[in-house]
Amino acid sequence: MHAPLGTMRRMVASGAQLAQMRRGAIEYCVLALLRERERYGFELVRELSAADGLVTSEGTVYPLLTRLRGEGLVETTWQESNQGPPRRYYSITEPGNQALESFVDQWTRFRSAVDRMLEAGGVT
Amino acid sequence: VNFRAQPGIEGVLRTYFQKLDAALASLPRTRRQQLVGEIRQHVDDAVAEQRPNSESELRDLLARVGAPEDIAAAALEEDPPTPQGRKHDGLVIAIVVLLLTGGLTIGLVLAFVVPPPSAQSSRSNPAKPHPKSPTTTGTTTPQSTTTAPPPPPTTTTTTTPTEPPPTATTVTPAPPPVVPSGVYDSGVAGTPHYFMVLTNGSAGGLTGSVDFAYQDGQTSVIFTFEGTVQGAEATLTPISVPQNGGGAQQDPSTIPSAMPLTMGGLSSGGYVIALGECASYLRFIQSMGQCNFVYSPTGSP
């Protein structure tokens, strides 16, 4: 039995919307982790992946890291490793800190507003 | 667990990275190599952590890393190709065409204006002995070039002050294997690896450096050296071991005072030289096989 076309469209739309939400938030999750301390790529990606629903596949984080570096929000250094070749460590920059603070302010208000609406609708 | 010794598992990895490379084909070469290098490092770390013992476990690990198509889609989304980039490519092509046609034009003009080489002073072409110069016995030696291997020398010419053109040509025994000056790699671009910059000087002298190329293309010199070629062998002695703070930097005391270098000559993969026993002193060399350095036709690591 096939799902009605309208239902299918909503399912596809919700998947795309979820991907958009995820994409919009994940870079700030990266910045937040780096604000705590610098991390090397594998470690960073693994922590993001451990959070349920945040990362669909680990490899897709690397293009994001490249963009953040290109935008000057993170910077990298090579550090020795006793388990193989040198590792590239990522750390947050001052512009990265500012971007994160700005996001946190907007996100807090946005999340509160959405929560209020969902509570008003009795869905949470 | 030496999982890479298992052919099936090695095949899974090879196939995955072939697909990834193909999926990223539309990215600029440097960006593609960098991303593939990062994913490879991630897979290596994941394998070291989880130690998969079967193809099935490795496939699960790669599924978490992501399908090549998904990674490519993310890369294109983060850094989409721009019309400006294509315009830039067009500009490069235009410059190359102009240089080629301009060079041809200048060459034709010079052919009519400048007298032939025989009418010029020997200063204009110091590589060739002057016919009137004192007795000279010279064996041609490849000089600094990073573009193409020179042909191996086969003859020795002898001239005297009283004999204008060389009249006697003596065939000498086959020379020892000669490798061209240039860059030699022990790994592929986009992944951390050592490379050697070699200059074949005159009278069998060698100078150069052993360097490390990081995943993002940055490089640092591990040590510089000099040496003398005897037959197919050379012994390198370090000149300096820079302490530049790079992750691959080594303490000077770890670099031997004499290192054997074998000129492997031309193989199917290109000119090869072997830095003997390098796994015993270069920190990130895992096996002696990685001590083979292959000539880079592009001149870049």
Side-chain angles (χ1 to χ4, degrees):
Chain A
M1 181 168 173
H2 297 287
L5 189 58
T7 306
M8 291 288 286
R9 281 185 180 148
R10 276 193 296 278
M11 286 168 66
V12 171
S14 78
Q17 286 162 359
L18 190 61
Q20 288 288 348
M21 285 171 56
R22 187 186 290 127
R23 223 176 356 254
I26 191 170
E27 65 184 83
Y28 297 102
C29 297
V30 168
L31 294 176
L33 284 174
L34 296 180
R35 187 183 175 107
E36 181 196 6
R37 64 177 169 83
E38 64 177 0
R39 286 168 163 83
Y40 75 96
F42 179 73
E43 182 185 15
L44 186 59
V45 173
R46 272 296 157 93
E47 286 193 55
L48 291 167
S49 303
D52 187 30
L54 203 53
V55 173
T56 51
S57 51
E58 297 169 350
T60 58
V61 179
Y62 288 96
L64 166 67
L65 291 173
T66 299
R67 176 170 64 80
L68 294 179
R69 192 173 50 168
E71 292 174 352
L73 302 180
V74 305
E75 58 189 7
T76 61
T77 54
W78 288 94
Q79 295 184 25
E80 293 178 22
S81 161
N82 54 11
Q83 296 172 339
R87 288 169 167 171
R88 177 151 54 194
Y89 275 74
Y90 293 82
S91 56
I92 192 168
T93 62
E94 188 46 39
N97 268 314
Q98 291 170 5
L100 179 60
E101 284 168 12
S102 171
F103 173 78
V104 168
D105 179 51
Q106 294 171 39
W107 172 257
T108 307
R109 285 189 285 138
F110 174 76
R111 186 187 58 196
S112 300
V114 172
D115 283 349
R116 275 198 304 276
M117 295 301 116
L118 295 178
E119 282 169 18
V123 292
T124 58
Chain B
V1 177
N2 185 11
F3 77 97
R4 288 203 169 170
Q6 301 174 41
I9 286 183
E10 179 65 35
V12 171
L13 279 176
R14 191 167 49 247
T15 303
Y16 178 83
F17 282 105
Q18 283 171 350
K19 286 181 178 173
L20 180 61
D21 208 44
L24 297 172
S26 59
L27 288 183
R29 182 170 153 270
T30 308
R31 175 74 195 103
R32 181 171 74 247
Q33 289 176 338
Q34 183 192 341
L35 184 54
V36 170
E38 285 171 331
I39 301 294
R40 192 180 291 275
Q41 184 63 54
H42 184 91
V43 169
D44 282 349
D45 285 339
V47 162
E49 184 183 85
Q50 297 169 31
R51 298 184 175 278
N53 281 313
S54 66
E55 278 188 45
S56 160
E57 288 179 14
L58 181 61
R59 287 185 197 283
D60 288 345
L61 183 154
L62 293 175
R64 281 194 294 279
V65 174
E69 302 75 32
D70 292 343
I71 296 172
L76 289 171
E77 204 164 279
E78 294 291 355
D79 187 16
T82 60
Q84 195 172 355
R86 285 195 288 276
K87 211 182 293 176
H88 181 72
D89 290 344
L91 184 64
V92 169
I93 291 168
I95 289 171
V96 169
V97 169
L98 280 173
L99 284 173
L100 287 173
T101 53
L104 185 62
T105 307
I106 291 169
L108 287 171
V109 170
L110 287 178
F112 284 102
V113 173
V114 179
S118 58
Q120 297 177 51
S121 158
S122 64
R123 284 175 186 275
S124 65
N125 193 355
K128 289 188 177 178
H130 192 281
K132 297 279 187 184
S133 64
T135 301
T136 304
T137 301
T139 302
T140 55
T141 306
Q143 297 301 311
S144 298
T145 172
T146 57
T147 53
T154 55
T155 60
T156 299
T157 56
T158 303
T159 61
T160 67
T162 54
E163 293 174 342
T167 54
T169 301
T170 308
V171 177
T172 60
V178 176
V179 294
S181 300
V183 174
Y184 292 76
D185 287 318
S186 73
V188 296
T191 60
H193 66 276
Y194 288 94
F195 64 97
M196 190 183 299
V197 181
L198 187 73
T199 301
N200 245 323
S202 59
L206 283 178
T207 55
S209 61
V210 170
D211 305 61
F212 192 79
Y214 296 97
Q215 197 166 289
D216 61 357
Q218 294 179 53
T219 63
S220 62
V221 177
I222 307 304
F223 64 88
T224 61
F225 60 77
E226 60 185 359
T228 305
V229 181
Q230 292 181 322
E233 303 287 333
T235 300
L236 307 183
T237 54
I239 300 173
S240 66
V241 186
Q243 300 299 289
N244 50 22
Q249 170 186 294
Q250 289 193 213
D251 189 277
S253 65
T254 63
I255 305 298
S257 56
M259 294 161 278
L261 186 74
T262 304
M263 313 292 189
L266 189 61
S267 74
S268 58
Y271 285 90
V272 179
I273 51 180
L275 188 56
E277 304 296 321
C278 82
S280 65
Y281 57 87
L282 290 180
R283 290 172 52 203
F284 303 124
I285 292 285
Q286 308 289 331
S287 66
M288 291 301 175
Q290 292 174 303
C291 294
N292 289 330
F293 291 71
V294 181
Y295 182 78
S296 165
T298 62
S300 58

